[in-house]
Amino acid sequence: MPIDHLNPPTGQMADNVIGFARALRKAGLPVGPGGAIDALDALQLVDIGKRADVFTTMEAIFVKRHEHALIFRQAFDLFFRAEEDWKQMLDSVPLPDDARRKPPPASRRVQEAMTQPSRGEEREAPQEQEVRLSVSDREILQKKDFAQMSAAEIAEVTRAIADMRLPQAELRTRRTRPDRRGARLDLRRTLRASLRTGGDIVDIRRLGLIDKPAPIVALLDISGSMSEYTRLFLHFLHAITDARKRVSVFLFGTRLTNVTRALRARDPDEALASCSASVQDWAGGTRISASLHNFNKLWGRRVLGQGAIVLLISDGLEREADSQLAFEMDRLHRSCRRLIWLNPLLRFDGFEPKAQGIKMMLPHVDEFRPVHNLTSIDGLIKALSAPISGHHRLLIRPAV
Amino acid sequence: MTAPSALPTSVDGMLDLLTKRGYFAERALATVAYLSLRMGRPLFLEGEAGVGKTEIAKVLSAALGRKLIRLQCYEGLDVSSAVYEWNSASQMIAIRLAEAAGESDRDQLASDIFADRYLIKRPLLQALEPDVNGPPVLLIDELDRADEAFEAYLLEILSDFQVTIPELGTVKAPAPPIVVITSNRTREIHDALKRRCLYHWVDYPAADRELAIVKSRVPGISAKLSQQVVSFVQKLRDQDFYKSPGVAETIDWATALTELDARSLTPQVVGDTLGALLKYQDDIQRMQGDALAKTIKEVTSE
């Protein structure tokens, strides 16, 4: 039975569902205004006396990603609290305003969503910082180590990074588009054109293959030893996420976090803020092996398809370097098109890969590059835009 | 194909319908499938490979007596292989014939050769056509393999259930098909598409359900062996393998074991057939020797 959307049903049931949808939105689930209406539609079709069925029904409407299922379950239990005498409770559960005032114990995220003011209310006015540098300053800046910069210089570098435009290293796809010099015949368009001349084929139309930028997957080490660099790398990754569509970014220290979505925000400061909000182990220890294991297991198949280029940004200082690390590196290497290791330690003259972790990882990368100043990032961008070749080779590049 | 049957009217009805066809669904999956039929919304199923996502579309079509139309997605899938294509060779012949007959009216020629009979209908267009048995079941399999451009195109079809062919006009389905979309999550599907669907994550089945599946799919299997097979597979799923075995693998393995006349799991027979369960060399290596013997011992002593 469809419901009248202009005059939605009143009573506790509708209020509860709408309130619940609002609570989910605050907990971070992408619930649109249509969601509550859909849920009410769907609830007409099931026996609302059965808690499990109501749960599944709402889950099918409100949850669109597997990762959200846990949050949904917690929110559902919190909102529709009583297990027993469910039917009676459905008519008398508290409205979200009540829920906000006195949250029962549950997961932190759901609880925060129901208690805290929304983000807009608490954001402070951004601090403006005017930085003007002369041309020669800029030249110095190009080669200056990120770790030795002042706040003003970092602000300038951030701006320079944002201005960098990635040339598109392209992969040929199997989709086609009209192309005068294409290799394939476009019979459909040729025929249509031929009708203009009464059926004589004068003009042969062709199809060419579409080129698409190769996907980039960045794995950024955010452990303590990398702390002077992480923020700038995040700026760099934000800039390339902005410029091309298929970029996935993961941060790792002791655990792995996918921040691709957080980085999609247009404003770099907002993107970085939401990035750091989603990471729990900022500037802590490193567990490269375990993080790579998680990446390979949970994400590898999902983001490395279609010939991805992997940027591993880490100093490779891993205490628990064992054969497992080599194994995970090898798996990562075999699942992507090109594995580029960016290591700030490479800036030192006479750098030798002596640390155990670095020795374990080095055989499995295609390229080993320094990243510590603007010049090296420029070099990286050139490398990314070079034609993609199939063969793997190891290049140790000297510090610039 | 059986005669068309009415849509189920309750979650229990749906559960019955699926069970009768040998699909042992969790109640949650039956609920979502039921809702998708009643609300006319596409059913979006995500989960690991081999948990029965594709199977439910097949079972639905058989149980409801509807035609099953399957669109297997792959990278580079485009309109001409998913929706329609013109039969250019026949059109060309028609033009030559018209010329030979001395016809010179160009507009007439155009409307003649862009007619329905020169249209090659691909799965999506077929699914929009009226069918005597009622709207068909449209299975869009492994959508994660298609690229984003195709996904955006699908968005349009799934919201209006119509396709526009420039030369012919708009084809609209008299009644929307029953749509089942599956994804193995090799990439994330855009939220815009998921929003139009009812979403459900299909998980590995619990032991009792998996046992029922094995018994129904591998009829000759003994009670003891099926119990051991399921228990062994469930133990494998608890471990940290690169690719855990799905239900399809369990069935394969159980079939392999019955073919070999195995009565009980022994290290020898399991070692020989492990490839039916684990598909990565690293995983198989981890499951050799002591680890294998230990797991088998646990399973057989239960």
Side-chain angles (χ1 to χ4, degrees):
Chain A
M1 184 182 63
I3 54 168
D4 181 357
H5 294 156
L6 291 178
N7 301 299
T10 48
Q12 287 291 347
M13 171 81 173
D15 283 350
N16 285 339
V17 170
I18 291 165
F20 182 52
R22 213 180 300 147
L24 286 177
R25 191 157 39 225
K26 290 201 133 203
L29 263 59
V31 174
I37 296 173
D38 281 349
L40 282 170
D41 264 341
L43 285 173
Q44 314 269 318
L45 296 167
V46 296
D47 179 4
I48 59 164
K50 284 203 173 102
R51 184 184 161 101
D53 284 6
V54 171
F55 176 84
T56 314
T57 303
M58 294 227 226
E59 191 186 29
I61 303 276
F62 289 126
V63 176
K64 303 294 178 196
R65 289 169 167 266
H66 186 45
E67 293 83 12
H68 293 155
L70 188 68
I71 298 171
F72 176 83
R73 176 169 285 279
Q74 285 165 346
F76 186 86
D77 286 344
L78 190 67
F79 202 88
F80 302 105
R81 235 172 292 168
E83 284 277 357
E84 68 280 355
D85 209 356
W86 151 254
K87 203 167 206 165
Q88 187 205 326
M89 288 305 284
L90 197 66
D91 290 334
S92 58
V93 282
L95 286 175
D97 282 346
D98 299 333
R100 200 180 302 166
R101 236 175 279 138
K102 203 181 165 196
S107 100
R108 226 181 78 210
R109 185 160 168 201
V110 175
Q111 225 180 67
E112 279 175 5
M114 291 188 179
T115 50
Q116 276 187 355
S118 64
R119 213 160 34 129
E121 295 162 36
E122 61 187 345
R123 193 182 302 151
E124 293 163 16
Q127 291 183 343
E128 286 289 331
Q129 201 167 27
E130 196 64 30
V131 182
R132 289 270 176 272
L133 294 172
S134 67
V135 177
S136 57
D137 285 338
R138 259 172 204 280
E139 274 169 14
I140 296 166
L141 209 55
Q142 285 282 333
K143 291 198 173 175
K144 189 154 185 176
D145 197 312
F146 289 148
Q148 298 157 3
M149 286 181 179
S150 69
E153 285 168 333
I154 285 178
E156 179 67 14
V157 168
T158 309
R159 208 160 309 163
I161 285 175
D163 285 342
M164 283 178 178
R165 284 288 158 260
L166 257 194
Q168 312 263 302
E170 293 192 322
L171 284 178
R172 185 134 289 189
T173 68
R174 283 198 250 157
R175 291 177 76 89
T176 55
R177 64 180 157 73
D179 179 356
R180 286 202 163 278
R181 270 163 293 179
R184 296 191 202 178
L185 195 60
D186 186 350
L187 267 179
R188 180 174 166 194
R189 282 171 65 248
T190 306
L191 256 176
R192 276 178 71 173
S194 79
L195 286 174
R196 248 171 268 146
T197 53
D200 285 329
I201 293 173
V202 177
D203 187 10
I204 289 181
R205 305 293 174 102
R206 292 175 175 281
L207 289 172
L209 294 171
I210 298 175
D211 292 335
K212 248 195 328 195
I216 290 183
V217 175
L219 298 167
L220 173 57
D221 187 339
I222 51 164
S223 60
S225 56
M226 290 282 291
S227 62
E228 286 150 326
Y229 298 98
T230 42
R231 201 177 159 78
L232 281 158
F233 288 146
L234 274 174
H235 269 291
F236 169 67
L237 293 172
H238 176 261
I240 66 174
T241 309
D242 209 31
R244 55 207 287 173
K245 273 186 185 158
R246 301 196 291 170
V247 177
S248 317
V249 180
F250 295 81
L251 306 184
F252 68 93
T254 50
R255 64 178 78 195
L256 183 78
T257 318
N258 183 354
V259 293
T260 308
R261 288 205 156 206
L263 275 185
R264 290 247 168 86
R266 276 244 158 238
D267 178 59
D269 289 325
E270 197 186 16
L272 261 60
S274 76
C275 230
S276 55
S278 55
V279 173
Q280 293 167 358
D281 54 342
W282 203 270
T286 331
R287 286 169 61 215
I288 302 179
S289 174
S291 301
L292 287 180
H293 174 74
N294 273 338
F295 176 81
N296 284 333
K297 193 168 153 64
L298 298 175
W299 295 98
R301 271 189 290 254
R302 290 160 67 186
V303 297
L304 293 182
Q306 304 166 325
I309 299 172
V310 173
L311 301 180
L312 176 65
I313 310 173
S314 169
D315 50 16
L317 298 180
E318 161 91 322
R319 289 216 181 83
E320 301 162 16
D322 50 16
S323 59
Q324 187 63 22
L325 177 61
F327 174 82
E328 298 296 347
M329 276 301 283
D330 180 42
R331 161 138 284 155
L332 178 65
H333 186 208
R334 280 188 285 130
S335 343
C336 66
R337 179 175 296 257
R338 199 149 69 125
L339 176 52
I340 302 176
W341 183 6
L342 307 174
N343 191 337
L345 289 183
L346 212 53
R347 71 185 180 277
F348 300 118
D349 290 334
F351 168 84
E352 277 179 60
K354 273 187 188 148
Q356 187 64 16
I358 298 178
K359 267 197 234 167
M360 287 283 179
M361 291 160 75
L362 211 47
H364 304 287
V365 300
D366 297 315
E367 252 182 73
F368 192 44
R369 302 182 138 268
V371 266
H372 59 283
N373 57 21
L374 276 180
T375 312
S376 55
I377 284 198
D378 263 343
L380 169 65
I381 287 180
K382 289 205 182 77
L384 285 178
S385 58
I388 295 164
S389 58
H391 62 273
H392 296 307
R393 60 194 189 285
L394 176 66
L395 297 171
I396 295 193
R397 293 179 187 273
V400 187
Chain B
M1 186 181 290
T2 49
S5 50
L7 299 184
T9 52
S10 67
V11 177
D12 293 301
M14 187 77 205
L15 214 47
D16 266 5
L17 187 109
L18 294 175
T19 311
K20 268 191 200 132
R21 293 272 162 182
Y23 191 95
F24 301 88
E26 307 275 344
R27 187 176 175 86
L29 176 57
T31 308
V32 182
Y34 162 72
L35 285 173
S36 125
L37 290 188
R38 292 297 304 270
M39 296 170 77
R41 291 286 194 90
L43 179 59
F44 192 104
L45 299 178
E46 248 180 1
E48 297 298 326
V51 289
K53 302 185 297 291
T54 304
E55 194 61 25
I56 196 169
K58 295 182 184 165
V59 171
L60 273 181
S61 104
L64 299 172
R66 307 291 181 84
K67 195 158 93 182
L68 176 70
I69 296 172
R70 178 174 181 163
L71 175 67
Q72 174 65 49
C73 296
Y74 55 88
E75 200 193 339
L77 181 66
D78 59 2
V79 173
S80 63
S81 33
V83 195
Y84 70 93
E85 195 170 12
W86 288 103
N87 186 344
S88 305
S90 303
Q91 284 177 321
M92 214 99 79
I93 294 170
I95 294 175
R96 289 286 161 246
L97 285 176
E99 260 178 6
E103 288 164 23
S104 59
D105 184 350
R106 281 187 217 173
D107 292 338
Q108 184 59 42
L109 187 63
S111 70
D112 279 351
I113 71 158
F114 287 115
D116 203 44
R117 71 193 146 117
Y118 296 113
L119 195 63
I120 301 171
K121 289 166 188 159
R122 303 290 190 205
L124 288 182
L125 189 56
Q126 286 171 22
L128 299 181
E129 300 216 298
D131 192 299
V132 282
N133 291 330
V137 174
L138 170 64
L139 166 64
I140 300 174
D141 213 10
E142 301 186 349
L143 180 59
D144 49 331
R145 288 178 186 276
D147 38 33
E148 292 91 340
F150 180 74
E151 205 180 301
Y153 182 81
L154 207 55
L155 208 60
E156 196 188 329
I157 293 193
L158 290 184
S159 43
D160 302 331
F161 294 106
Q162 66 177 35
V163 166
T164 301
I165 302 171
E167 298 91 346
L168 263 187
T170 301
V171 179
K172 190 169 171 57
I178 299 167
V179 184
V180 178
I181 303 174
T182 74
S183 160
N184 291 337
R185 283 222 301 185
T186 57
R187 105 183 140 75
E188 214 59 75
I189 304 295
H190 202 277
D191 286 349
L193 192 112
K194 287 177 165 181
R195 218 172 49 229
R196 286 163 173 76
C197 308
L198 294 176
Y199 174 87
H200 187 72
W201 174 265
V202 187
D203 227 327
Y204 295 116
D208 54 341
R209 218 167 286 273
E210 189 158 30
L211 194 57
I213 297 171
V214 168
K215 279 180 177 159
S216 116
R217 287 309 198 77
V218 191
I221 197 165
S222 72
K224 184 176 149 203
L225 183 62
S226 57
Q227 182 77 49
Q228 289 183 354
V229 162
V230 169
S231 166
F232 186 84
V233 171
Q234 297 259 338
K235 283 210 162 46
L236 285 196
R237 286 198 195 119
D238 288 342
Q239 296 189 33
D240 196 20
F241 284 121
Y242 191 56
K243 169 77 186 82
S244 288
V247 184
E249 277 80 37
T250 313
I251 296 171
D252 279 353
W253 193 46
T255 313
L257 291 175
T258 46
E259 288 295 325
L260 294 173
D261 282 332
R263 284 159 195 267
S264 174
L265 298 186
T266 59
Q268 175 67 39
V269 74
V270 174
D272 289 349
T273 53
L274 208 54
L277 281 182
L278 298 173
K279 310 289 172 163
Y280 283 86
Q281 182 56 28
D282 307 329
D283 288 351
I284 292 177
Q285 255 168 10
R286 273 189 53 194
M287 205 57 212
Q288 302 282 352
D290 290 348
L292 185 71
K294 186 169 157 273
T295 315
I296 291 176
K297 205 171 166 206
E298 282 171 17
V299 167
T300 46
S301 63
E302 269 173 13

